[in-house]
């Protein structure tokens, strides 16, 4: 899946050490420690949803500050106990270079564990969204997929998404930027395929 890794010790906040990735979204979850119960359930859930991420043209990669041997033993134990294989790679960030650059360490919670960060990185290597969960609570994979779908819909269709938006439901459009655009929206929203509550508050049944 990934061609190579380089520049992990760089002071840059980019992810150019993943060569060949950025034709798609990169979904980048950190994990706290291997052989811990919550992280184990999360990685099983990510593995079970792997095909959904692939269908959305997104790549998964995990990160922890444990070693490669620890990752191998943990992933193998998951397989032995559940029959589920982890289909994406995990970075062994032993010196916490990546974790520190991306602000994954929460000193008030743990000095040697990352909190449950989620980074959505687009094909231009721009971090579009960050979710942060505490050490005590696992991530919601359905919400992660929903947000990823919303980001891709925004990019593809030039729309925004309202609260609690789900795929297949109406999206919204940004407010007009000029007086003429406002008048056009007030006078003839149907010509723009819009259903408006007011000039600044308009839905679009079919985003694209």
């Amino acid at each position: 899946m990934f061609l190579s890794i380089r520049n992990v010790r760089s002071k840059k906040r980019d992810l150019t050490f993943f060569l060949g990735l950025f034709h798609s979204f990169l979904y980048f979850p950190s994990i706290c420690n291997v052989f811990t119960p919550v992280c184990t359930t999360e990685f099983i859930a990510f593995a079970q949803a792997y095909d959904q991420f692939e269908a959305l043209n997104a790549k998964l990669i995990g990160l922890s500050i444990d070693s490669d041997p620890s990752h191998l033993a943990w992933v193998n134990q998951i397989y032995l106990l559940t029959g589920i294989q982890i289909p994406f790679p995990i970075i062994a960030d032993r010196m916490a270079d990546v974790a520190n650059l991306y602000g994954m360490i929460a000193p008030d919670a743990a000095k040697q564990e990352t909190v449950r960060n989620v980074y959505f990185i687009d094909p231009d290597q721009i971090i579009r969204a960050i979710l942060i969960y505490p050490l005590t609570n696992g991530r919601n994979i359905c919400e992660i997929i929903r947000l990823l779908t919303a980001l891709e819909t925004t990019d593809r269709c030039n729309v925004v998404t309202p609260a609690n938006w789900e795929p297949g439901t109406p999206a919204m459009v940004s407010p007009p930027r000029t007086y003429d655009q406002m008048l056009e929206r007030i006078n003839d929203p149907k010509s723009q395929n819009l259903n408006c509550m007011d000039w600044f508050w308009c839905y679009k049944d079919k985003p694209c």
Side-chain angles (χ1 to χ4, degrees):
M1 184 190 305
F2 298 95
L3 299 180
S4 65
I5 297 176
R6 65 179 181 184
N7 296 336
V8 174
R9 295 179 182 275
S10 169
K11 293 301 182 183
K12 298 178 181 178
R13 284 179 181 249
D14 61 46
L15 284 172
T16 54
F17 48 86
F18 300 113
L19 300 178
L21 267 183
F22 292 101
H23 60 284
S24 59
F25 263 83
L26 173 66
Y27 169 69
F28 185 41
S30 69
I31 58 177
C32 46
N33 281 103
V34 300
F35 292 106
T36 56
V38 177
C39 287
T40 300
T41 62
E42 287 182 319
F43 261 50
I44 289 171
F46 287 132
Q48 291 172 326
Y50 183 74
D51 288 344
Q52 295 179 66
F53 285 102
E54 287 284 296
L56 290 167
N57 201 29
K59 302 298 182 183
L60 286 170
I61 187 165
L63 178 142
S64 86
I65 56 177
D66 289 298
S67 66
D68 280 332
S70 295
H71 293 159
L72 292 171
W74 181 54
V75 168
N76 186 59
Q77 190 67 10
I78 290 173
Y79 175 72
L80 292 176
L81 292 173
T82 67
I84 295 172
Q85 292 185 321
I86 304 301
F88 50 87
I90 307 170
I91 300 171
D93 187 25
R94 292 296 290 142
M95 302 303 293
D97 296 294
V98 177
N100 281 308
L101 285 173
Y102 279 78
M104 296 179 183
I105 304 294
D108 57 332
K111 296 187 182 299
Q112 294 183 338
E113 289 181 305
T114 59
V115 290
R116 302 180 195 285
N117 295 269
V118 179
Y119 294 84
F120 296 80
I121 303 172
D122 72 12
D124 295 320
Q125 303 183 35
I126 295 172
I127 297 174
R128 298 285 295 280
I130 302 173
L131 303 177
I132 301 177
Y133 292 71
L135 289 171
T136 52
N137 304 99
R139 284 164 276 211
N140 185 311
I141 309 304
C142 292
E143 168 57 16
I144 289 166
I145 292 173
R146 188 199 72 86
L147 178 53
L148 174 61
T149 306
L151 288 169
E152 293 189 344
T153 300
T154 293
D155 287 356
R156 185 176 66 255
C157 305
N158 193 29
V159 294
V160 296
T161 56
N164 299 321
W165 179 84
E166 294 287 346
T169 62
M172 304 182 82
V173 293
S174 298
R177 297 186 175 219
T178 68
Y179 185 72
D180 287 342
Q181 288 175 351
M182 182 186 73
L183 290 179
E184 183 181 4
R185 192 168 291 186
I186 291 172
N187 294 326
D188 194 13
K190 297 299 182 183
S191 68
Q192 303 172 64
N193 297 315
L194 300 178
N195 179 18
C196 295
M197 304 290 291
D198 205 334
W199 62 267
F200 66 92
W201 181 1
C202 294
Y203 293 90
K204 195 169 187 180
D205 289 338
K206 294 182 179 180
C208 294

